[in-house]
Every structure is written in C-alpha cells, then in structure tokens.
Amino acid sequence: MQNIRTIRYCFILFLSVLVSCKGQTDKLNDNCPLIPKPLSVDMQPGEFTFGDSVVIELKTDDEEIKRAANFLKTFVEQTGSCKAQIGTGEEARNKIVFTVCDTIAHDEAYRLDVSPRTVTIASKGGAGAFYAVQTLRQLLPAECEKKICDENVILQVPCVNIYDEPRFKHRGFMLDVARHYFPLDFIKKNIDIMTLYKLNVLHLHLTDDQGWCIEIKSHPRLTSVGAWRKQSIAGHKNDVPRKYDGKPHGGYYTQDELREIVEYAHERFIEVIPEIEMPGHTQSILAAYPQLACFHKNYEVSCDWGVHKEVLCTKEGSFKLLEDVLSEVFEIFPSKYIHIGGDECPKDRWSECPVCQRNIKRLGLKDEHELQSYFIKRMEEFVNAHDRQIIGWDEILEGGIAPNAVVMSWRGEAGGIKAAKMNHSVIMTPRDFCYLDYYQSEDRDNEPLAIYGYLPLDSVYSYNPTEKLTSEQGRYILGIQGNLWTEYIATPEHAEYMAYPRAIALAEVGWSRQEQKDFTDFIYRLTIQSKRLDSLNVNYAKHFLFSVKNKNDKL
C-alpha cells in the first residue's frame, strides 16, 4: 500500500513539474517569440520602455557597429512614437548601449541584456550587433513594423538576457529573376524580410534560357535581345497540348540598379551573390550572339521551361564573352563568391560539334563530361585571378571538380556529401527540403500552379544539413539555402506566398542548433510572428495557422 501511495505521489509530482515547465515555455514564447530561436534565453522580471525618446550610446568607434546602431535609430523613429539620439547616455532615463566584448569570438554572435533602464548589446563587431538589433526588433510590438504605427502602441520589450550565435555561416535565399522579372522594390522588400530573420545571403539568378537580366555594357545585345521573350507558357509545361499566353515578357537591371541592391543589402549585412549561367541554360546568349553556338543559326530567347540542348560552344569566342561579362560583374558585386551555374548542360551539341570534338582530342580529355570540367576549371581560373571564388551546382563534380569551387548541392545531398568528403566547401540546398517553388499543400485545387513536388512547412523545418556526415566532414558545410525558381511565379504576391513562411523555417534551420529545434514550438512562435508579417504586408501562406488551430489548444 505504501508503494502505491509513493508511486501515486511521484506521478502527481511529475505531472506538476511537466505542467510547470509547459507554462514556463508558453510564457517564454509569449514574451520572447523569437525566430530563429536563440542559443540561450533567460527571462527577467520587468520591461524596458522606450518612452518618447531614447539615447543610443556607442562605446566603440567601430564603423560597422555604428551601422547597426543607425539601423536601430531609423527603425525606432519610423514608428513615429519615439525619438532616438545617438550620443552619451549618462543622464538619460533609458538608453541602449553598444559595446565590443573581447570574450565573444564568433563574428555574428551577440549578447543582449535588457534591464528596466538599459539595453546592452555586446558583440565582436558589426554583424553581431546588427543581429542583436533584429532580436530587439522582434521583441517590440509587431505594429512597429509599419512605417507609422498607432499612437497607442507602447514601445516596450521584456527584460531578458540572451546569448546567441548562428550554426552556419551561409544562410541564403535564392531569387530567380531570369524566368520572370521582378521590380527593385520587391527585391528590397525580400531583403527586409531576410534581415528580420537573420538570413545573410541573397543569391540572384540573373541569366537563363528564358532571359538575360543584367546590363553588360561591352555586349549590349545581351539585354536588347536576350532580356525579352515573345511569350510564356500558359498553364503547366506538361499540359497537352502546351499553351502560351501570347504576351511578351522581359526586363533587366541596369548596373546602377544592381549597385543599389548591393548597397541596400550591405547596409543590412547581407551579401548579394550573382549567378551567370554557363555553359548550359544560355539560349538567351545565343539569341543575341548565335555565333557562339556549336551550329550557327537563328536562336530565340526560349519561351519554354526546362532543359535545353542549345548550349555555349567551347570555342574561344564563348570564353571571351564570358570573361567580358564577369569583368563587369566583378565591378558591380563585391561578393567573395560568383555563381557560375554549371547545371543541366546536355552534351548533345558538343558530341556533334567539330570544334568541341577537336578540343576533346587536343586537351587529351576522355569525353564531353571532362570537356565541361575543362570549361568550368578555365572559368574558375579567371575568377580566382580576380580574387573571387566560384560556386557551382553539383553537376560541376562530373568530369572532375574545379580545385577551389564551392558545390551547391541541389539534386539531393549526394553531391554535397561527395564534395565534403573531398574537402570542398558545400552549400546544402537539396530540392526535397529547400525548393520553395514546390507545392506546399496537398489540396492543389486551392493552390496556385507550381512546378511539381510537395514540400510542406514541417518538411522544410525538419532538415538537418549535416545528419549524414561525420563531424569532420560537417566542417565543410558552409550552410543552407532556400531557392525560389520562378517559371510558374510571375507576380510579387505569388512569390511571397511560395517563399514565406518556408524561408523563415530555413532561417531557423540555418541559425539554431539542431537539438533546439521543435516544430510545435516553432509553429507557436511563427503564429505570433505572423502579426509582424501582416504589418509588413507579406502575402505569406497561412496553412500553419489552420494547423495550429486544429491541433494545438493553446490558440
């Protein structure tokens, strides 16, 4: 009998502890619903209130930390509820202090300490300070995201001690602007959303068979001809018969516009990496300069999606044009990396081409796969000579990888695993977890048209980029990236619907530790964050809201 009472007591005690822990977690998420989830959060009693004015005090001359502080000043003042002054805060009623901390080793790490009178942001440098600002921003009311928020909104954050640092260095989002052209304001809006969730790389896919979207002054026909197609597919490419909309489509970014994007991203600690496709996905080049094909004839910018047999010939003129293009790309984009594509290059034309066959023999190559390897390695030498590195899709492994190339593994994880085992840096972006152009609901009758596949939010969130690697091999994984291909995405509203919140889930995959991840917890925080997305006028997919209401009684 005594044993039964003891077991009953222990069970009741266990339940009470469980309920208490659940209550503490709920309270933490209510007061601190941060995405990505920080490494360490310690809630404290009280709140810090900005009031009518706040002083931002800099205890450093670091220019990048000043940039982070200026972002905070602008953000606070845009609410219309508070004036922020950068200066000395000795006599200030409330102040935000930026300081350098020598014990913080990670470039993007930060410590955020909020007390009732003072917010202290400590970091090694500007990136960490900037991400602390984004965390502080998420602690403010969601209405603060509006340019001018309601005068009744109180700028107040809970007292908390946070230490945080990212799991991966590369936390990327790819936007395909070649299949459908998107205006500058939309690209900037995406940069703003990336900023909020600590994504730090914008990969712009600028060229493809269906359009060339970057001004190249030495070769103006790339845009005067290559930037425009006669029409686009109406419906899906697999429809029989295939239909077209009969509407010309195109557009391109001037070099000044691209510099504006680069600067806008730079102010938000985001690197912009351009992609110039080669040697496949280049029919827009051949439309402008048909002499660079294996067989000289008239080509058009493609109106069809998919893989095309028309590719650049391995003649010297092709390399000369690409070197001219990249020379201008270097002047626009200061990024460490230049993406050169390298994917989906059929070898049909090369196998028929006298020039390419002579090159195979002259260079002592085994086949057309080794010819592509030669092509990529030659372009890498040119890029390396300008103190840059190439990124290529995982097809660049075929025929022999270029010595310093970074592999972007998209056809699954196999290419990334192979490259990591060869001691090559890798960005994991497998389509089963990271392709944001896939359907996100099984109810396709009520979903916009997508390319194919099914990638729900929980699948995205479940991804672990190093799961199949040893700890040593995992060191070569630079990070992850979500890709938004736009064959079937023609408007900003549709693009936002496909990207968000799945790109936000990837932001947490890239930042937070694997052992911290919990999908139910993420959905609860995302539900609170959805008010912030509403304030930013983001047309995000709302499937997760219904799943929470149906499965989680907290709402």
Side-chain angles (χ1 to χ4, degrees):
M1 193 71 179
Q2 179 68 29
N3 288 339
I4 294 175
R5 282 199 298 267
T6 301
I7 293 170
R8 184 182 299 163
Y9 171 78
C10 290
F11 181 69
I12 292 171
L13 180 62
F14 170 75
L15 285 179
S16 66
V17 170
L18 189 65
V19 170
S20 175
C21 290
K22 178 179 180 294
Q24 290 174 12
T25 301
D26 290 352
K27 182 179 179 182
L28 173 62
N29 285 334
D30 286 341
N31 293 330
C32 201
L34 299 171
I35 299 177
K37 191 168 189 174
L39 191 59
S40 171
V41 178
D42 184 15
M43 297 300 300
Q44 301 293 322
E47 295 85 21
F48 174 87
T49 304
F50 284 68
D52 295 331
S53 64
V54 68
V55 171
I56 298 174
E57 183 177 353
L58 292 168
K59 292 191 173 181
T60 174
D61 293 327
D62 187 293
E63 289 298 323
E64 290 196 341
I65 292 180
K66 288 181 182 178
R67 180 147 52 97
N70 281 322
F71 182 96
L72 177 61
K73 180 180 187 296
T74 300
F75 181 79
V76 168
E77 291 189 336
Q78 81 169 18
T79 67
S81 301
C82 179
K83 289 290 184 182
Q85 175 187 344
I86 295 181
T88 302
E90 295 296 335
E91 304 300 325
R93 182 182 61 185
N94 44 10
K95 61 181 178 180
I96 301 171
V97 179
F98 286 80
T99 184
V100 173
C101 180
D102 294 334
T103 61
I104 295 178
H106 196 293
D107 288 341
E108 295 181 298
Y110 66 88
R111 193 171 65 242
L112 174 66
D113 298 312
V114 181
S115 70
R117 289 287 303 274
T118 305
V119 174
T120 302
I121 291 172
S123 63
K124 179 181 177 181
F130 187 76
Y131 293 131
V133 168
Q134 301 315 309
T135 297
L136 187 65
R137 174 184 174 187
Q138 286 193 25
L139 293 174
L140 283 163
E143 292 85 354
C144 291
E145 298 296 337
K146 299 176 181 178
K147 291 301 180 184
I148 298 293
C149 65
D150 191 294
E151 60 182 11
N152 295 321
V153 173
I154 299 173
L155 271 63
Q156 190 177 73
V157 297
C159 291
V160 64
N161 301 124
I162 294 174
Y163 176 79
D164 203 8
E165 63 182 49
R167 181 184 179 191
F168 293 109
K169 180 179 180 180
H170 183 111
R171 305 178 302 280
F173 175 77
M174 189 282 293
L175 180 62
D176 171 17
V177 294
R179 270 56 175 269
H180 279 100
Y181 172 86
F182 291 91
L184 253 64
D185 286 348
F186 173 70
I187 296 176
K188 289 181 178 179
K189 183 179 180 181
N190 274 275
I191 291 172
D192 289 338
I193 302 168
M194 291 172 64
T195 298
L196 180 60
Y197 297 107
K198 301 183 176 74
L199 292 166
N200 66 347
V201 177
L202 174 62
H203 169 182
L204 284 181
H205 183 79
L206 291 164
T207 71
D208 216 295
D209 295 302
Q210 296 82 17
W212 181 282
C213 296
I214 172 174
E215 177 190 26
I216 301 298
K217 294 180 179 179
S218 60
H219 297 278
R221 285 178 61 83
L222 287 172
T223 48
S224 65
V225 174
W228 312 93
R229 64 175 178 266
K230 291 181 178 178
Q231 57 187 353
S232 305
I233 291 176
H236 201 278
K237 71 174 184 177
N238 294 334
D239 292 345
V240 179
R242 185 175 289 181
K243 298 177 182 179
Y244 297 88
D245 62 11
K247 300 176 183 177
H249 180 83
Y252 67 92
Y253 307 99
T254 68
Q255 294 191 4
D256 285 343
E257 287 173 330
L258 290 169
R259 288 189 181 96
E260 183 179 336
I261 290 171
V262 168
E263 180 60 26
Y264 191 85
H266 174 72
E267 288 298 313
R268 290 152 181 79
F269 290 82
I270 290 174
E271 181 179 42
V272 182
I273 295 177
E275 180 179 359
I276 308 297
E277 282 275 14
M278 62 183 83
H281 286 288
T282 50
Q283 195 163 314
S284 58
I285 297 179
L286 301 182
Y289 300 100
Q291 67 271 26
L292 301 183
C294 288
F295 301 98
H296 192 167
K297 61 180 183 179
N298 291 328
Y299 298 93
E300 292 185 343
V301 178
S302 178
C303 300
D304 293 298
W305 316 131
V307 179
H308 293 49
K309 292 183 179 180
E310 308 304 333
V311 302
L312 285 174
C313 183
T314 58
K315 62 182 66 171
E316 285 304 307
S318 297
F319 292 107
K320 176 63 169 63
L321 179 134
L322 290 173
E323 289 175 1
D324 290 345
V325 167
L326 290 175
S327 294
E328 296 190 35
V329 167
F330 298 147
E331 293 297 318
I332 302 167
F333 298 92
S335 56
K336 176 181 178 181
Y337 297 108
I338 304 295
H339 203 304
I340 51 80
D343 61 311
E344 296 178 327
C345 179
K347 309 303 188 292
D348 304 62
R349 298 294 178 259
W350 286 1
S351 66
E352 303 163 353
C353 173
V355 172
C356 293
Q357 291 303 306
R358 281 198 301 270
N359 283 336
I360 289 174
K361 291 180 181 179
R362 178 177 62 85
L363 296 165
L365 305 177
K366 184 169 62 176
D367 55 21
E368 288 79 15
H369 292 289
E370 288 195 359
L371 183 61
Q372 176 164 335
S373 177
Y374 162 77
F375 195 113
I376 298 299
K377 287 175 180 177
R378 179 165 170 176
M379 296 312 304
E380 184 193 47
E381 288 178 4
F382 181 78
V383 172
N384 290 166
H386 290 80
D387 297 321
R388 312 294 183 93
Q389 284 182 257
I390 68 166
I391 299 175
W393 301 106
D394 56 56
E395 285 93 333
I396 67 172
L397 288 161
E398 298 168 4
I401 188 172
N404 302 310
V406 175
V407 173
M408 191 167 272
S409 189
W410 75 275
R411 292 179 295 179
E413 295 179 289
I417 292 170
K418 180 179 179 181
K421 289 179 177 179
M422 297 167 64
N423 299 340
H424 274 268
S425 295
V426 174
I427 298 163
M428 285 293 201
T429 179
R431 54 190 169 188
D432 290 343
F433 295 99
C434 299
Y435 268 40
L436 307 180
D437 56 331
Y438 283 18
Y439 286 101
Q440 53 193 318
S441 168
E442 293 181 292
D443 182 14
R444 297 191 179 183
D445 290 339
N446 292 306
E447 284 287 290
L449 184 66
I451 189 166
Y452 53 71
Y454 173 49
L455 183 56
L457 186 62
D458 59 340
S459 294
V460 176
Y461 189 80
S462 71
Y463 185 47
N464 179 5
T466 60
E467 184 176 15
K468 300 175 183 176
L469 296 166
T470 66
S471 57
E472 177 62 25
Q473 293 162 355
R475 292 175 52 243
Y476 291 96
I477 305 302
L478 297 180
I480 57 142
Q481 181 167 289
N483 296 329
L484 188 64
W485 301 103
T486 63
E487 290 95 330
Y488 297 97
I489 301 172
T491 67
E493 294 76 19
H494 188 180
E496 289 177 6
Y497 180 86
M498 300 300 285
Y500 305 109
R502 290 185 291 185
I504 299 172
L506 281 174
E508 182 146 310
V509 171
W511 182 281
S512 303
R513 296 295 186 271
Q514 181 67 21
E515 60 270 19
Q516 290 182 288
K517 289 167 56 185
D518 179 278
F519 185 65
T520 301
D521 175 64
F522 171 75
I523 288 296
Y524 187 55
R525 287 178 283 124
L526 181 60
T527 302
I528 298 173
Q529 286 276 337
S530 67
K531 299 174 184 176
R532 198 169 299 276
L533 296 174
D534 291 335
S535 292
L536 288 167
N537 295 316
V538 180
N539 185 43
Y540 60 94
K542 298 177 173 60
H543 307 92
F544 69 94
L545 292 172
F546 298 108
S547 70
V548 171
K549 289 178 181 179
N550 290 335
K551 298 178 182 178
N552 193 326
D553 61 5
K554 283 191 280 191
L555 294 181

